[in-house]
Amino acid sequence: MSHGNILIVEDEEIIRASLKRLLERHGHTISEAGSVHEAELSYTLDSFDLIISDLRLPGSPGTEMIHLAGDTPVLIMTSYASLNSAVSTMKLGAVDYIAKPFDHHEMLERVTEILARRQKPDSPTVPQDETEEAGFDGMLGQCDAMRLLFRRIKKVAPTSATVLIQGESGTGKELVAQSIHRHSQRSGGPMISINCAAIPETLIESELFGHEKGSFTGATGARAGLIEAASGGTLFLDEIGELPLEAQARLLRVLQEGEIRRIGSVKSQKVDVRLIAATHRNLRQLAASSEFRQDLYYRLKVVELRIPALRERGKDILMLAEKLMSSICKKMGQEPHAYSPEAMAAICQHQWPGNVRELEHAIERAVILCDDNIITPEYLDLDVRVKASLFKVDAQLQHEDNAQDGLTLEDYFQRFVLEHQDQMTETDLAQKLGISRKTLWERRQKLGIPRKKASAT
């Protein structure tokens, strides 16, 4: 682990001292300040390897450090309630941001990554649209599964290997296929995309392989198929699990021999096409039950890429929600909107069976219907049972929340537990919060909320 000279800018002494101890235990040299003004007066900012600054500080906001620090990277700390502002800091030039209360292991990982990048000045500059905010090639993602996906796309794209993309509906399988094509040696050729589930079985072979005049009723002229049209480029077959067995046999010949024969023709012709297939179904099981050709399955899975479901992507959900909302507002010519803390909780708790596509449609609906530029759970049309219990506070507390410019989700959790643990069992608390007893215990440990001891009888 590389050690660095780090400045912490944080007005809350407890957080500042805790972070200082954490980083010093791992060999870093730490300086500290309580505000942007104090940091500017006390230190030469470009002498540091990294500046870690809170977003909300007395006087000037933490984003001012980005402008004052020169080439020194700035890591912004923020609460979930300020996530909209946090994502905006990436556009201002922050190297990264981390949500409070942060996990110590996560903070150390971020610091290590930033310092490692800083020690490689000869590394090529990453374009803005390839930063951590954008993920890779326009696909947003910072979770481990998405980072692994991006690395594998970069490795497989320049090759000629057949690729099988596995993922639930709405996860972005076609975006991955497009990215592979763009970064391949065939990027100058065509990319033909076909949804196998959208074409009737009686027409699928004709669409893919073409036909000769008179080969069947209605074939009034010869026609080239889509595989011929993709020659020199990439053929993307979405939902390949829906392809009929007869068409599968023909497709296998394309992969093995590099040639096709139109329906009704006696002559074969060579084609030069790279195949990328995608499915939400389990092809291994389909092959085992003879619903999909085993030989074709093994030819397809030369390289297999899995796209994680949205519910498996952790903090990516809120980042995606922010990016999608910004894009939708711009498309509709509306002012930027913001999510309420309740809406962010609902977004995190929802299971998203339709994945990114469902999230995009929910946000578009909310932007259209909301009246005051603040998106709340009812506009998203989500199951808000979690919201009804997690954010159950009396009118006076709700008034205080508004005056304090929004509390974090951890604040709401802590308040709910402290207010109700005298009347509720741990099982009841977990059920009301929409979490498991194990998660409740883990959050108690993280926030330092002890369980109330049972009274002696």
Side-chain angles (χ1 to χ4, degrees):
M1 175 177 173
S2 55
H3 298 158
N5 183 21
I6 301 173
L7 171 64
I8 300 172
V9 186
E10 167 63 70
D11 59 319
E12 294 187 32
E13 291 186 13
I14 295 176
I15 296 177
R16 191 169 71 232
S18 173
L19 182 55
K20 180 181 179 182
R21 286 195 300 272
L22 172 68
L23 295 175
E24 283 182 338
R25 282 201 306 270
H26 288 81
H28 300 290
T29 303
I30 304 301
S31 303
E32 51 187 312
S35 67
V36 173
H37 183 63
E38 181 185 342
E40 190 177 11
L41 288 179
S42 305
Y43 305 104
T44 304
L45 299 180
D46 58 7
S47 66
F48 292 99
D49 297 311
L50 172 64
I51 296 173
I52 302 175
S53 176
D54 191 19
L55 180 62
R56 295 186 178 181
L57 294 167
S60 302
T63 49
E64 283 299 306
M65 297 302 304
I66 300 170
H67 307 299
L68 297 171
D71 293 332
T72 301
V74 178
L75 171 65
I76 293 292
M77 297 184 292
T78 182
S79 66
Y80 277 114
S82 304
L83 189 65
N84 294 335
S85 301
V87 174
S88 299
T89 65
M90 300 291 288
K91 299 174 184 176
L92 295 175
V95 67
D96 205 346
Y97 71 88
I98 189 168
K100 295 193 298 184
F102 49 79
D103 177 77
H104 284 187
H105 180 68
E106 181 183 10
M107 173 61 83
L108 290 171
E109 275 191 345
R110 299 285 182 91
V111 169
T112 301
E113 287 175 7
I114 294 168
L115 293 177
R117 289 201 299 266
R118 184 167 172 77
Q119 289 179 356
K120 297 178 182 177
D122 296 328
S123 298
T125 302
V126 180
Q128 181 63 34
D129 63 348
E130 302 277 45
T131 60
E132 296 237 344
E133 180 198 4
F136 172 71
D137 206 17
M139 294 177 285
L140 184 66
Q142 290 185 329
C143 69
D144 291 342
M146 289 302 291
R147 290 180 190 232
L148 175 62
L149 176 65
F150 298 152
R151 288 197 298 270
R152 288 186 171 175
I153 290 174
K154 293 174 187 176
K155 285 185 176 182
V156 73
T159 73
S160 59
T162 301
V163 180
L164 177 62
I165 304 170
Q166 296 269 5
E168 294 181 5
S169 178
T171 51
K173 296 187 288 293
E174 187 164 359
L175 289 178
V176 172
Q178 290 170 350
S179 179
I180 293 171
H181 175 70
R182 274 195 298 271
H183 292 273
S184 74
Q185 297 176 3
R186 297 171 174 266
S187 58
M191 177 175 175
I192 304 295
S193 299
I194 307 164
N195 187 329
C196 299
I199 303 175
E201 285 192 22
T202 54
L203 297 178
I204 188 72
E205 289 191 63
S206 173
E207 289 290 316
L208 286 176
F209 305 100
H211 61 260
E212 296 293 341
K213 180 179 179 180
S215 56
F216 55 85
T217 303
T220 56
R223 180 183 174 186
L226 293 174
I227 294 177
E228 284 183 65
S231 191
T234 303
L235 176 70
F236 174 55
L237 295 182
D238 197 5
E239 299 301 346
I240 196 169
E242 310 302 323
L243 197 64
L245 290 171
E246 295 81 0
Q248 290 177 30
R250 283 178 170 269
L251 182 61
L252 182 63
R253 182 169 180 81
V254 175
L255 295 177
Q256 290 178 332
E257 309 296 338
E259 62 182 30
I260 65 165
R261 184 165 55 86
R262 292 181 184 179
I263 296 174
S265 175
V266 295
K267 292 189 298 184
S268 297
Q269 54 185 301
K270 290 289 184 180
V271 288
D272 174 25
V273 65
R274 180 189 191 173
L275 179 65
I276 301 175
T279 182
H280 73 283
R281 304 182 69 183
N282 189 324
L283 290 190
R284 184 189 296 273
Q285 289 183 359
L286 292 178
S289 60
S290 300
E291 296 176 70
F292 196 87
R293 292 183 65 103
Q294 283 195 348
D295 46 6
L296 178 58
Y297 169 63
Y298 291 123
R299 287 305 300 256
L300 290 176
K301 67 182 297 293
V302 176
V303 176
E304 191 169 358
L305 301 180
R306 179 184 177 274
I307 307 178
L310 186 56
R311 60 184 170 276
E312 300 171 2
R313 293 178 56 181
K315 293 177 183 177
D316 281 3
I317 296 178
L318 290 176
M319 296 172 60
L320 277 164
E322 171 64 26
K323 189 176 183 74
L324 288 170
M325 183 177 64
S326 175
S327 174
I328 289 168
C329 287
K330 185 176 180 181
K331 182 176 70 174
M332 294 184 176
Q334 296 199 28
E335 296 179 2
H337 288 46
Y339 297 106
S340 70
E342 296 92 338
M344 286 191 283
I347 288 171
C348 290
Q349 295 284 347
H350 187 59
Q351 290 300 296
W352 299 110
N355 294 289
V356 180
R357 185 184 295 121
E358 181 189 357
L359 174 63
E360 182 177 13
H361 292 166
I363 295 169
E364 186 171 4
R365 176 185 187 277
V367 169
I368 292 170
L369 296 181
C370 75
D371 299 318
D372 53 4
N373 293 354
I374 302 295
I375 293 177
T376 53
E378 54 268 28
Y379 292 128
L380 293 166
D381 195 27
L382 301 179
D383 183 349
V384 294
R385 286 176 297 175
V386 174
K387 176 254 181 185
S389 56
L390 183 59
F391 302 100
K392 186 177 180 182
V393 292
D394 60 32
Q396 177 60 33
L397 290 177
Q398 187 65 51
H399 174 74
E400 291 174 4
D401 291 348
N402 294 337
Q404 293 172 12
D405 192 26
L407 297 175
T408 68
L409 300 185
E410 302 292 357
D411 292 332
Y412 282 114
F413 175 88
Q414 187 170 18
R415 176 172 289 176
F416 184 88
V417 172
L418 291 174
E419 284 183 354
H420 296 87
Q421 65 179 356
D422 290 345
Q423 298 82 32
M424 293 183 181
T425 65
E426 291 295 286
T427 300
D428 291 336
L429 279 173
Q431 186 175 13
K432 288 291 185 183
L433 288 166
I435 58 179
S436 67
R437 280 186 54 132
K438 180 176 181 292
T439 302
L440 174 61
W441 179 84
E442 289 173 346
R443 290 191 185 177
R444 277 187 179 276
Q445 298 299 308
K446 182 177 180 180
L447 297 174
I449 310 173
R451 288 182 60 176
K452 188 170 181 65
K453 294 180 180 177
S455 2
T457 54

